[in-house]
């Protein structure tokens, strides 16, 4: 098991001194490996045979190599290399006697192609809009019939779940893996295979129990003549009781050969964003210092950028370039009404638009709480019918029923298309999936649906293709729905099954780490990283996609060796999130990576004999349905359960249990590289929470002082004697002024509201003297508080006995403790992205594991 070295922030950013500008220093890193005798390696049958081939007389001399072979202080027995090791590259000489520059193609070796500059023409606008019509048929997810009842971490299932009747089965099929096998080397010598471990266990079929719906009786409150409320418990009242069907999907058998996911489906479609409202006539952007009159279509796109003027995106060169190119295409179709020719981004001034949007934000913030409530109520009433659907007669929540409004694509990390224009999605772009015979929903925007299908083998309600990356977008049921829950549960059942095979699989790939066949050795090393580091498998990327990589698509530049057995990974993972870790690996793995990097350039693939298809095909031979993703789920779940079991929470409070749960979640997120940048408002949010914590401590301090006023003997009680450490006199003065201001505002609002009510009733309004009297009482109260400062005495608004005060102090103490834990939990998770599908998975895992709560 690899372990991380104790370097600061090694999961996020480099922390060693041997680094330049945040990246490992190749000079200092490589020099560490030049010390003779610092690394001792086995000289028996661990050396690949191809090493002897390279040292023969026919081998190219080192002077003709493309790159000087690194020297490692370790023995180089001829048995340490596989048969099909990386061939020596010969330098290509140009006609002038100098080495010719190497060219790269997008072939099967995974090398990238140099980007070509886009050309500007009148047809670019049409081409850009036609991207939305790319014919990409949505794939249907399938499930293979394969389930084991073995537990992943804890074979104990909650007894409560055993008592629940089984429910109707929704059968599924898993997505079939590709059978491509590209890992065969071009030059290999047949080697007698070593006996492998025990073969894959035969999968057993699942039972065919027919689950039933369990009906739970809900007692209806009955109101008597005298106004009292009683619950109907007699037989004659059962007819009036409401029968609620509870669909316990986690007890349903979700596997089988049948691919039907539902029988009936009704929903109301999706909500389109409102149409664009032109800016006021006096709000105009400027070009070369002069105001420009834009038509609505061009003004809308300019507004997208103007709203982001003070963000980090507007400071990014790629973002600005992509925005201006797409905006120019819009301007060709919708030129400025005053004839201005906009050709330079640097001459554009979007600040008037930014200032207008900021003023509108300020107006929204200035709305009264009542106005906000009314606006929210109106919005909720409009969206109510879209939030749920009827699936097989059951009401289920819909997830993302709102269509994303048009705007500028932001992407994550260093995405090459950030800043590109996202078109407005219209009904003509959307395919609706609904049950046969169900009423077809009417879109809330002008237009008709692109198509209406009745496919009960898929779970999406609507789909369309977005124009920036050409990806399919779907509307699914909510995370807590039955179909989503069953999908996640099936994933965990497959991970549970891996528990019965993982020891044999690890034994096999550990033996293959010394294989004489290069493809097998590379595959074993990749499996080691996927298993131990929870890396994603990785796929090939096009030149117009973000340069993100996984295990199989790692390049030599992403991996740095550091003696004696450390490997530094530095690459962009999924969603362009940086993966940086310095890992202590097994000596054989370190040796393999050194061999894989020999005679390769930095942009060459590290695993040039392995791809995702061949790796998953091999994993399937080890266990039916096994993929790299299943390994990732298995390791995430194992880590999660182990961390929960480490804490003794038998006497913990609810907040302490929640913190333990979130802490385990964070550690799994770190393992899976689920990271994010700290929110911009994090510091502000944390300061508000700390201020609230101090206000709670202030209340406790006043209660303590009131207790001292009743009886001085409480001062000697250690429970009440200590002062609050983070509350000083200056803070107390400022806080009392703050609450005084709030009390005055509250009194004034109440006075105005009282007068409004009196006016509605036709009564005489209260005089200003009443308000002044109330304000004077507030002034007197806070003068009294000012006199009590430093005396350790206080008087309460209402007299309470000592027992009541002690009880209130105890409650506040628990509240303070819980709130402090909330602050700690919030701050610890500021750079962890828990809003992923794994969160549902972790929660689901805890449902079926031993209840630690």
């Amino acid at each position: 098991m690899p372990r991380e070295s104790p370097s600061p922030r090694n999961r996020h950013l480099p922390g060693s001194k041997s680094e330049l500008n945040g990246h490992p220093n190749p000079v200092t890193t490589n020099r560490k490996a030049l010390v003779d005798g610092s690394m001792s390696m086995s000289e028996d049958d661990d050396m690949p045979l191809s090493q002897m081939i390279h040292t023969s007389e026919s081998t190219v001399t080192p002077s003709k190599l493309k790159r000087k072979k690194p020297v490692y202080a370790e023995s180089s027995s001829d048995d340490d290399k596989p048969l099909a090791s990386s061939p020596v590259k010969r330098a290509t000489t140009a006609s002038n006697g100098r080495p010719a520059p190497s060219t790269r193609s997008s072939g099967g070796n995974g090398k990238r192609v140099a980007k070509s500059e886009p050309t500007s023409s009148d047809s670019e606008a049409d081409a850009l809009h036609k991207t939305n019509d790319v014919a990409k048929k949505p794939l249907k997810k399938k499930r293979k019939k394969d389930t084991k009842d073995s537990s992943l971490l804890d074979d104990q299932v909650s007894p409560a779940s055993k008592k629940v009747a089984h429910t109707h089965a929704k059968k599924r099929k898993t997505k079939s893996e590709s059978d491509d096998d590209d890992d065969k080397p071009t030059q290999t010598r047949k080697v007698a295979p070593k006996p492998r471990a025990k073969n894959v266990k035969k999968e057993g079929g699942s039972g065919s129990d027919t689950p039933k719906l369990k009906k739970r009786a809900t007692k209806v409150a009955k109101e008597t003549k005298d106004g009292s409320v009683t619950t109907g418990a007699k037989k004659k009242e059962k007819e009036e009781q409401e029968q609620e069907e509870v669909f316990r999907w986690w007890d349903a058998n979700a596997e089988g050969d049948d691919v039907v996911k539902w029988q009936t489906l009704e929903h109301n479609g999706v909500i389109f964003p409102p149409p664009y409202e032109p800016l006021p006539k006096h709000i105009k952007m400027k070009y070369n210092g002069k105001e420009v009159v834009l038509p609505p279509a061009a003004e809308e796109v300019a507004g997208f950028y103007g709203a982001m003027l003070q963000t980090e995106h507007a400071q990014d060169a790629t973002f600005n370039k992509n925005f201006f190119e797409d905006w120019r295409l819009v301007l060709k179709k919708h030129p400025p009404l005053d004839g201005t020719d906009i050709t330079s981004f640097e001459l554009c001034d979007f600040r008037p638009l930014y200032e207008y949007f900021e003023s509108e934000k300020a107006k929204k913030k200035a709305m009264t709480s009542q106005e906000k409530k009314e606006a929210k109520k109106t919005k909720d009433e409009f969206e109510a019918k879209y939030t749920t659907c009827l699936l097989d007669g059951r009401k289920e929540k819909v997830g993302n029923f709102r269509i994303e409004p048009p705007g500028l694509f932001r992407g994550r990390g260093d995405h090459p298309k950030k800043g590109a224009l996202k078109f407005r999605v219209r009904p003509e772009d959307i395919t609706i999936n609904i049950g046969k015979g169900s009423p077809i929903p009417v879109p809330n925007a002008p237009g008709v649906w692109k198509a209406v299908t009745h496919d009960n083998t898929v779970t999406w309600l609507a789909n369309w293709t977005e124009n920036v990356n050409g990806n399919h977008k779907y509307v699914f049921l909510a995370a807590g729905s039955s179909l989503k829950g069953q999908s996640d549960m099936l994933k965990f059942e497959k991970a549970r099954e891996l528990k019965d095979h993982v020891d044999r699989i690890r034994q096999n790939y550990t033996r293959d780490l010394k294989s004489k066949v290069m493809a097998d050795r590379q595959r074993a090393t990749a499996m080691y990283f996927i298993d131990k580091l929870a890396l994603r498998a990785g796929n090939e990327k096009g030149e117009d996609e973000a340069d993100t990589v996984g295990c199989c698509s790692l390049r030599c530049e992403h991996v740095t060796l550091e003696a004696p057995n450390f490997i530094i990974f530095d690459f962009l993972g999924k969603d362009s999130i940086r993966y940086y870790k310095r890992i202590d690996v097994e000596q054989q793995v370190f040796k393999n990576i050194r061999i894989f990097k020999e005679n390769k350039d930095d942009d060459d693939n590290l695993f040039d004999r392995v791809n995702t298809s061949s790796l998953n095909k091999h994993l399937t031979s080890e266990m039916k349905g096994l993929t790299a993703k299943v390994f990732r789920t298995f390791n995430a779940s194992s880590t999660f359960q182990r961390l929960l079991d480490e804490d003794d929470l038998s006497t913990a409070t609810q907040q302490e249990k929640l913190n333990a749960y979130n802490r385990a979640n964070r550690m799994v997120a770190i393992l899976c590289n689920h990271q994010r940048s700290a929110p911009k408002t994090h510091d502000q949010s944390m300061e508000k929470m700390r201020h609230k914590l101090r206000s709670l401590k202030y209340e406790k301090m006043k209660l303590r002082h009131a207790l001292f006023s009743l009886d001085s003997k409480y001062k000697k009680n250690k429970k009440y004697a200590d002062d609050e450490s983070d509350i000083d006199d200056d803070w107390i003065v400022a806080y009392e002024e703050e609450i005084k201001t709030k009390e005055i505002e509250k009194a004034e609002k109440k006075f105005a509201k009282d007068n409004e009510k009196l006016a509605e009733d036709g009564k005489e309004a209260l005089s200003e003297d009443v308000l002044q009297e109330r304000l004077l009482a507030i002034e007197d109260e806070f003068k009294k508080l000012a006199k009590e400062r430093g005396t350790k005495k206080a008087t309460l608004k209402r007299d309470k006995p000592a027992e009541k005060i002690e009880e209130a102090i105890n409650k506040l103490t628990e509240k303070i403790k819980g709130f402090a834990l909330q602050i700690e939990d919030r701050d610890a998770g500021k750079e962890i992205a828990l809003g992923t599908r794994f969160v549902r998975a972790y929660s689901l895992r805890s449902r079926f594991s031993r209840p630690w709560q």
Side-chain angles (χ1 to χ4, degrees):
M1 189 70 182
R3 61 181 186 275
E4 297 183 21
S5 61
S7 59
R9 293 176 65 82
N10 62 354
R11 73 175 184 269
H12 298 293
L13 297 173
S16 62
K17 293 183 179 179
S18 60
E19 301 167 10
L20 295 175
N21 296 331
H23 295 277
N25 188 343
V27 178
T28 58
T29 303
N30 293 336
R31 286 179 179 173
K32 293 181 181 179
L34 299 178
V35 183
D36 294 337
S38 63
M39 298 166 58
S40 61
M41 309 292 275
S42 172
E43 298 189 10
D44 299 330
D45 38 13
D46 186 32
M47 202 68 155
L49 299 178
S50 57
Q51 179 70 19
M52 295 185 291
I53 298 174
H54 288 311
T55 55
S56 64
E57 293 179 1
S58 61
T59 306
V60 181
T61 59
S63 60
K64 296 181 180 181
L65 291 179
K66 197 168 190 178
R67 190 168 85 182
K68 186 176 180 181
K69 178 180 178 180
V71 180
Y72 290 86
E74 55 181 275
S75 61
S76 353
S77 169
D78 289 342
D79 292 332
D80 193 28
K81 281 197 176 183
L83 290 171
S85 59
S86 303
V88 178
K89 296 184 178 181
R90 298 178 182 273
T92 304
T93 308
S95 58
N96 59 359
R98 297 183 180 181
S102 60
T103 60
R104 294 162 54 194
S105 63
S106 57
N109 58 359
K111 295 182 181 179
R112 298 174 298 172
V113 182
K115 295 183 180 180
S116 60
E117 291 295 324
T119 58
S120 300
S121 66
D122 294 339
S123 63
E124 285 187 74
D126 295 334
L128 187 62
H129 285 270
K130 286 180 181 179
T131 311
N132 200 22
D133 294 328
V134 177
K136 290 188 178 181
K137 188 175 182 179
L139 298 177
K140 297 181 180 180
K141 297 186 178 179
K142 299 181 180 179
R143 293 242 174 233
K144 292 183 180 179
K145 183 177 181 180
D146 176 42
T147 307
K148 302 275 301 177
D149 293 332
S150 56
S151 172
L152 175 59
L153 298 169
D154 190 351
D155 296 331
Q156 300 286 335
V157 181
S158 176
S161 64
K162 295 181 180 179
K163 298 179 182 180
V164 183
H166 291 293
T167 52
H168 183 63
K170 294 293 180 290
K171 300 180 180 180
R172 305 171 176 274
K173 289 202 295 187
T174 53
K175 183 186 291 185
S176 59
E177 298 292 335
S178 174
D179 290 337
D180 296 338
D181 189 4
D182 300 331
D183 62 339
K184 294 182 180 180
T186 54
Q187 296 178 356
T188 58
R189 182 190 303 176
K190 292 185 178 180
V191 182
K194 297 182 181 180
R196 298 184 68 80
K198 191 175 180 181
N199 290 335
V200 180
K201 294 183 179 182
K202 293 182 178 181
E203 314 333 302
S206 58
S208 59
D209 298 335
T210 303
K212 298 179 181 180
L213 282 175
K214 181 177 179 180
K215 294 187 176 182
R216 177 186 300 168
T218 304
K219 295 183 178 180
V220 180
K222 184 177 180 181
E223 185 174 348
T224 59
K225 294 180 179 180
D226 58 355
S228 61
V229 178
T230 60
T231 56
K234 298 180 181 180
K235 292 183 179 180
K236 62 181 181 180
E237 295 176 347
K238 287 185 178 180
E239 295 179 358
E240 300 175 3
Q241 293 177 352
E242 208 176 291
Q243 297 294 331
E244 179 186 358
E245 291 187 348
V246 180
F247 182 66
R248 301 182 68 87
W249 54 262
W250 50 89
D251 291 324
N253 179 16
E255 293 193 84
D257 294 330
D258 196 354
V259 297
V260 173
K261 305 296 190 302
W262 46 266
Q263 298 295 333
T264 61
L265 175 63
E266 296 181 23
H267 60 86
N268 291 289
V270 294
I271 295 181
F272 292 91
Y276 175 68
E277 296 183 3
L279 298 175
K281 294 184 179 181
H282 65 281
I283 305 296
K284 297 181 179 65
M285 68 158 289
K286 296 180 180 179
Y287 184 75
N288 199 17
K290 297 180 180 179
E291 291 185 345
V292 181
V293 181
L294 295 173
E299 182 186 72
E300 181 182 20
V301 180
F304 296 155
Y305 188 86
M308 303 172 66
L309 193 60
Q310 294 300 318
T311 66
E312 58 184 9
H313 300 287
Q315 315 304 320
D316 186 277
T318 303
F319 186 92
N320 292 339
K321 174 178 173 293
N322 290 335
F323 155 71
F324 193 65
E325 287 178 355
D326 284 0
W327 190 40
R328 287 265 296 161
L329 296 178
V330 176
L331 288 172
K332 286 181 180 179
K333 284 190 171 183
H334 309 279
L337 301 178
D338 56 2
T340 304
D341 186 14
I342 299 177
T343 57
S344 173
F345 175 77
E346 288 71 20
L347 297 179
C348 296
D349 182 8
F350 300 94
R351 184 157 293 279
L353 308 184
Y354 168 77
E355 292 174 350
Y356 171 75
F357 293 135
E358 288 298 306
S359 65
E360 291 299 303
K361 287 182 182 179
K363 290 179 182 178
K364 288 185 178 180
K365 288 183 179 179
M367 291 172 61
T368 63
S369 58
Q370 185 62 29
E371 290 174 337
K372 291 179 180 178
K373 287 180 181 178
E374 291 177 357
K376 185 178 183 303
K377 182 181 178 181
T378 303
K379 179 184 176 185
D380 292 343
E381 289 176 351
F382 172 71
E383 295 181 348
K385 68 177 184 178
Y386 298 94
T387 58
T388 59
C389 71
L390 284 178
L391 182 76
D392 291 340
R394 302 185 311 271
K395 183 178 285 189
E396 299 264 10
K397 288 187 176 181
V398 180
N400 51 332
F401 55 86
R402 300 182 189 89
I403 297 296
E404 188 177 2
L408 301 182
F409 177 69
R410 305 188 184 190
R412 298 186 67 177
D414 192 20
H415 199 287
K417 290 189 175 182
K418 56 186 174 182
L421 175 62
K422 295 187 298 183
F423 297 154
R424 180 178 293 274
V425 179
R426 306 184 186 279
E428 290 80 5
D429 304 319
I430 293 181
T431 299
I432 291 293
N433 189 32
I434 199 166
K436 289 183 179 179
S438 299
I440 298 175
V442 179
N444 70 310
V448 295
W449 304 116
K450 177 181 180 181
V452 178
T453 63
H454 312 287
D455 190 353
N456 61 359
T457 64
V458 296
T459 60
W460 52 267
L461 311 184
N463 87 76
W464 66 97
T465 304
E466 56 91 16
N467 67 287
V468 177
N469 297 302
N471 296 330
H472 286 296
K473 296 286 187 179
Y474 295 91
V475 174
F476 287 107
L477 298 184
S481 65
S482 58
L483 293 181
K484 283 287 188 180
Q486 287 175 341
S487 174
D488 288 336
M489 187 175 68
L490 289 173
K491 180 172 63 174
F492 275 97
E493 289 302 322
K494 184 58 65 176
R496 286 178 192 266
E497 185 182 348
L498 177 57
K499 182 183 179 183
D500 297 333
H501 302 269
V502 70
D503 291 338
R504 171 180 51 79
I505 294 172
R506 286 170 175 167
Q507 184 182 5
N508 288 342
Y509 78 63
T510 299
R511 181 170 53 254
D512 285 346
L513 289 174
K514 297 183 179 181
S515 173
K516 300 299 181 182
V517 180
M518 173 64 81
D520 292 347
R521 188 180 286 207
Q522 286 192 4
R523 185 189 62 217
T525 307
M527 289 178 63
Y528 174 89
F529 290 149
I530 289 171
D531 182 19
K532 304 301 183 182
L533 304 180
L535 295 182
R536 292 182 175 89
N539 293 297
E540 294 294 332
K541 297 287 183 180
E543 63 179 65
D544 60 342
E545 297 180 88
D547 186 22
T548 59
V549 299
C551 185
C552 295
S553 52
L554 283 170
R555 298 192 293 273
C556 293
E557 62 185 324
H558 299 140
V559 179
T560 305
L561 298 175
E562 184 178 301
N565 59 338
F566 289 98
I567 295 181
I568 299 174
F569 292 90
D570 192 357
F571 60 89
L572 292 181
K574 183 180 178 182
D575 293 329
S576 298
I577 298 299
R578 186 186 183 192
Y579 184 98
Y580 180 90
K581 285 186 180 180
R582 181 176 179 267
I583 306 297
D584 181 5
V585 300
E586 296 178 11
Q587 198 68 49
Q588 184 62 41
V589 174
F590 181 88
K591 186 189 299 183
N592 286 350
I593 296 300
R594 174 179 60 80
I595 294 172
F596 301 160
K597 292 186 69 173
E598 285 181 351
N599 306 314
K600 290 182 180 178
D601 292 332
D602 286 344
D603 55 358
D604 288 337
N605 281 358
L606 181 68
F607 300 112
D608 53 349
R609 309 297 174 88
V610 179
N611 57 39
T612 306
S613 298
S614 63
L615 176 63
N616 281 333
K617 183 177 180 180
H618 173 77
L619 292 175
T620 303
S621 70
E622 294 278 15
M623 187 193 93
K624 185 179 179 182
L626 178 62
T627 63
K629 187 175 182 179
V630 176
F631 256 115
R632 188 172 165 87
T633 304
F634 173 82
N635 285 313
S637 302
S638 302
T639 303
F640 182 66
Q641 188 68 61
R642 175 177 57 79
L643 292 171
L644 290 181
D645 292 340
E646 287 177 356
D647 296 327
D648 181 12
L649 302 173
S650 56
T651 60
T653 64
Q654 190 67 23
Q655 186 60 47
E656 288 172 338
K657 291 179 181 179
L658 181 60
N659 274 34
Y661 178 86
N662 289 339
R663 182 164 55 250
N665 255 352
R666 284 194 297 270
M667 296 307 295
V668 174
I670 291 170
L671 171 69
C672 298
N673 201 43
H674 290 165
Q675 302 179 31
R676 66 171 183 177
S677 301
K680 295 179 181 179
T681 59
H682 176 75
D683 292 338
Q684 183 181 359
S685 174
M686 292 303 299
E687 184 56 38
K688 287 181 179 179
M689 294 184 73
R690 295 188 188 100
H691 181 75
K692 183 178 178 180
L693 180 64
R694 284 192 287 264
S695 66
L696 293 175
K697 291 183 177 181
Y698 173 85
E699 293 180 25
K700 180 183 175 182
M701 178 192 72
K702 282 298 182 182
L703 289 174
R704 288 193 306 105
H705 292 175
L707 203 59
F708 298 162
S709 298
L710 290 178
D711 194 338
S712 60
K713 70 178 182 180
Y714 286 104
K715 292 182 179 180
K716 298 178 182 179
N717 190 333
K718 293 183 179 180
K719 186 177 180 180
Y720 308 114
D722 295 337
D723 291 330
E724 285 68 25
S725 57
D726 54 346
I727 293 182
D728 54 22
D729 293 340
D730 292 338
W731 185 89
I732 291 174
V733 172
Y735 179 68
E736 288 180 352
E737 285 295 325
E738 177 186 334
I739 57 178
K740 176 184 173 181
T741 303
K742 290 181 179 179
E743 286 291 329
I744 292 175
E745 290 178 358
K746 185 178 178 181
E748 290 174 343
K749 287 181 180 179
K750 188 177 185 306
F751 177 78
K753 190 174 182 180
D754 290 344
N755 277 342
E756 289 177 3
K757 189 174 182 181
L758 290 172
E760 290 177 359
D761 296 340
K763 298 180 182 179
E764 186 179 354
L766 299 175
S767 64
E768 285 292 325
D769 294 340
V770 176
L771 175 60
Q772 294 302 322
E773 185 179 348
R774 293 176 183 177
L775 298 180
L776 186 60
I778 294 174
E779 291 285 350
D780 292 341
E781 181 182 347
F782 280 90
K783 285 179 181 179
K784 183 175 63 176
L785 289 177
K787 291 180 180 179
E788 291 174 352
R789 294 172 194 160
T791 63
K792 291 195 174 182
K793 291 183 179 181
T795 55
L796 303 178
K797 292 183 178 180
R798 297 178 181 177
D799 292 337
K800 295 181 180 180
E803 295 77 11
K804 291 291 184 181
I805 297 178
E806 288 186 80
E807 183 181 344
I809 291 175
N810 292 336
K811 288 182 179 179
L812 263 178
T813 302
E814 290 301 318
K815 190 174 182 179
I816 289 170
K817 182 180 178 182
F819 196 72
L821 289 172
Q822 288 183 34
I823 294 176
E824 178 187 340
D825 187 53
R826 176 80 63 87
D827 193 45
K830 63 182 178 182
E831 294 180 341
I832 304 300
L834 294 179
T836 66
R837 188 171 182 176
F838 267 105
V839 175
R840 291 200 313 274
Y842 306 153
S843 303
L844 184 66
R845 178 63 187 91
S846 64
R847 183 194 297 273
F848 297 100
S849 65
R850 171 170 45 80
W852 58 275
Q853 296 92 331

